[in-house]
Amino acid sequence: MKDFHGIIFAYSASPELRELVSHRTAASMPIFGRYRVIDFALSSLMNAGIHDVGVIMQRDYQSLMDHVRNGKSWDMSRKDGGVRLLPPFGMPGYHSGNYFGTMEALNGVGDYIRDIPQKYVVLLLGSMCANLDLTAAGEQHIRSGLPITAICSDKTPAAPQHRYVPGPDGTVGRVLFYREGECEGYTSTEGYIIDKELLVKMMDECAARNLYRFHRDAIAEYLAKGGRMGIYLHKGYYMPIRSVDLYYRANRDMLDPDKRHDLFTPARPVRTRHHEGVSTYYGEDAVSINSLVGDNCRILGKIENCVLSTEVVVEEGACLKDCVIMRHTTIGAGAQLEYVIADKDCTLAPDTVLKGNEKLPLVIPKGSHI
Amino acid sequence: MKKSCIAMLLAGGQGSRLYALTQDVAKPSVPFGGKYRIIDFPLSNCANSGIDTVGVLTQYRPLKLNSYIGNGQPWDLDVSDGGVYILPPYLGAHEQGSWFSGTANAIYQNIAFIEMYDPDNVLILSGDHIYKMDYAEMLRVHLENEAACTIAVQQVSLAEATRMGIMSVDDRDFITEFEEKPKQPKSDLASMGIYIFNWKKLRAALIEDENDPNSSKDFGKNIIPKMLAAGERMLAYRFKGYWRDVGTITSLWDANMDMLSPELINLYDPSWPISSRSPVCPPHYVGTDAKIVHSIVTEGCEIYGSVENSVLSSSVKVGKGASVLYSVLMPGAVVEDGAVVEYAIVGENTVIGKGAHIGAAPDGTDGWGVATCGPDITIREGAVVPASAMIYNGEEV
């Protein structure tokens, strides 16, 4: 897909992700024991043969840069093009480096967007989990002849989201902003395929009138003026990572073989940065039930309904139920954990007892020593 | 650019004692220990020892090995001056050249490659050993003693000594005598098949040996005894860590079982990483009725049955009610529901059909051994593969 350029918005972090995003963006959050959330956007682009990709960042992007690096893991380290990490201040004097909305973020890297040599631009959120078939979406976009196609999902995750209601011809009839719960139309993944020409026009119009929101300003106006928009419907797994609750649900979803096999379909492999490591060792008294476990762990205690990232140690007699444990965390002997999300590099002393709730998992911030 | 030391890795052996496991692949690319292939060990040792130029000599079934090594990036060997090179046999002008006829001949045929780097010393390695070793330290000892050749040795029992190349040494560890597979060993220091040679001296010895019609062109049988007889300074370098030759089914199985005991060899050592080219797979999944005890399990596995005392490589599937005991399952192996795999090695992508039974526990008889199913085989539902069996691709089972 040589005619396509990817743009990933990796600057947002919903405040409802709380401690999990105190030093990183939602896009660089560790997830599913192995990945970072942005791997899904990057892999979707890679699997469609889209190698020229800009990643728009704002702040707290150190972990993101460390993860993406030169893009080699996604075959995006190229002689020409490849992945470009785009920090703010792309246009000095235009703004302070703080984006209030997507249009402002795009204008912040306006020169980069204007220089895109490709005809079409794929806009994706770095904070969504979906393995998108962008080859099919791109083909549909070209076939339709419409200047913009919304990438939608038939799932309705429990969060306020924009929805597109198709009209009689299948293109967008109406847009509904911030709807929660089952409702007509399809959930917007906030991913789009858009002709570059139209994107630049929207950016110029918004900049001239000091408007900064993509949906409320640019899209609403485009539709109000009679602009037409196609709908590409993604029928696979979809989860926006917008809150601790959705993050926890997404991890739990991967214990379901159907959802796991759907998201990690061999047809479109999800790639991530390679980590050195050994296989996971299970001890003589280990018990593991319905869990997803990364490499390089040592399981000597009991885990049930858990997602464990790499380099996690569960010492003898420790018991973990319904937990999500990130990389390089040690659970001391005899500790009892239920509904806990432990961030990276935590150490929990022996016999620690911590209990969250299914509706409100307990988050242990990165680097905690208890 | 001139190099102090480059490495030449002998990966051209047939590996015939691994039978079905090397039916389609060269021995160094046989999977090992969950995440690895055998060649990861010497390549990682090179990278960790600061040796950035490695020639890999291949001739039998090299396709997988070539694609596995690629540009050497996983081992940090994708450097601009040096790196990892696959060196197959080739024909020169007037169709001169041939298959490698022995380990020494393989190096002889690549003299031109070695000369490109004008090294002072050449490290000769085998592609079938599992160990962590700092070649830089061995090189330091080699240079300090101004040796023509330094041979890494390990203490072995006298019983083992009868099967290996044995060195007798003086009080400064200079070699006084070398015997290949002696009936009455005079020493317990066995050659590990790891040599550092002064390149000028080795070059001369290789050319001389090549012209000897009675030579079998082998380092152990010809080059080393000849250099010793010529009075060269030959040093033994004592190595005390974990080292295993995995050239046979039994030794390969044994060494895999050792991976369950990290005190023998710690592969998770950030100061000495063993690297591999591994596909990115999701974390492994353990089902509701699964049981995993004293085993290692790798990314991409899906375990619904029972796994005990076993080594599972990436993307292995163990079905409901299936049981895997004391076995080595290579990448992509599938054990379907209700099947039993015990004391066995199952090759890559091989499928063990429902209810089949592979291998048996040791019964004390001489005929007992590990059962082996080669790669890409389908074992029929309910089939029984006895202990010591060797199943090749293309056989009906």
Side-chain angles (χ1 to χ4, degrees), chain A residues 32-35 72 255 257 260-261 264 270-272 274-284 286 288-296 298 311, chain B residues 33-36 73-74 260 262 267-268 273-276 278 280-288 290 292-299 302 304 312:
Chain A
F32 307 143
R34 177 71 163 93
Y35 303 90
K72 190 157 183 65
L255 298 179
R260 187 171 66 248
H261 293 156
F264 295 103
V270 181
R271 304 262 202 111
T272 187
H274 178 80
H275 284 287
E276 225 56 89
V278 299
S279 308
T280 282
Y281 174 74
Y282 286 88
E284 298 281 0
S288 54
I289 300 165
N290 190 38
S291 293
L292 206 55
V293 182
D295 275 350
N296 240 337
R298 280 181 73 74
E311 295 173 65
Chain B
K35 290 279 276 192
Y36 307 99
Q73 192 260 337
L260 301 178
L267 298 183
Y268 184 55
I274 303 298
S275 309
S276 62
S278 48
V280 172
C281 306
H284 69 263
Y285 175 72
V286 190
T288 307
I292 308 178
V293 174
H294 191 47
S295 294
I296 58 175
V297 182
T298 310
E299 284 179 351
E302 302 238 333
Y304 296 93
L312 273 56

Side-chain angles (χ1 to χ4, degrees), chain A residues 246-261:
Chain A
L246 292 182
Y247 174 78
Y248 182 75
R249 281 187 204 207
N251 277 290
R252 282 297 294 263
D253 278 345
M254 288 306 111
L255 298 179
D256 177 332
D258 292 337
K259 287 179 179 162
R260 187 171 66 248
H261 293 156

Side-chain angles (χ1 to χ4, degrees), chain B residues 156-294:
Chain B
V156 295
S157 68
L158 288 179
E160 284 176 289
T162 57
R163 286 183 279 120
M164 306 179 83
I166 296 299
M167 319 280 162
S168 300
V169 296
D170 65 14
D171 55 355
R172 291 186 306 149
D173 277 348
F174 278 101
I175 299 165
T176 55
E177 205 179 331
F178 175 84
E179 289 178 289
E180 189 75 24
K181 297 180 182 140
K183 289 207 173 66
Q184 304 271 296
K186 291 178 192 150
S187 153
D188 60 355
L189 295 178
S191 166
M192 296 161 64
I194 300 162
Y195 318 109
I196 296 178
F197 285 96
N198 173 295
W199 171 236
K200 283 202 182 73
K201 300 207 161 163
L202 176 61
R203 188 176 187 279
L206 288 172
I207 292 170
E208 192 197 311
D209 185 62
E210 187 64 21
N211 294 323
D212 176 355
N214 298 320
S215 167
S216 50
K217 317 278 192 280
D218 185 84
F219 275 99
K221 289 191 194 115
N222 309 105
I223 300 288
I224 289 163
K226 278 182 187 171
M227 285 180 78
L228 197 59
E232 294 287 0
R233 288 166 71 87
M234 312 278 282
L235 186 69
Y237 173 77
R238 291 169 189 258
F239 178 75
K240 293 208 172 65
Y242 182 92
W243 175 83
R244 294 289 186 278
D245 180 313
V246 289
T248 65
I249 293 292
T250 309
S251 63
L252 179 66
W253 182 85
D254 275 340
N256 268 289
M257 290 299 134
D258 286 346
M259 294 302 118
L260 301 178
S261 311
E263 63 279 9
L264 291 174
I265 177 170
N266 177 15
L267 298 183
Y268 184 55
D269 174 0
S271 71
W272 205 266
I274 303 298
S275 309
S276 62
R277 185 188 293 278
S278 48
V280 172
C281 306
H284 69 263
Y285 175 72
V286 190
T288 307
D289 302 315
K291 175 183 164 192
I292 308 178
V293 174
H294 191 47

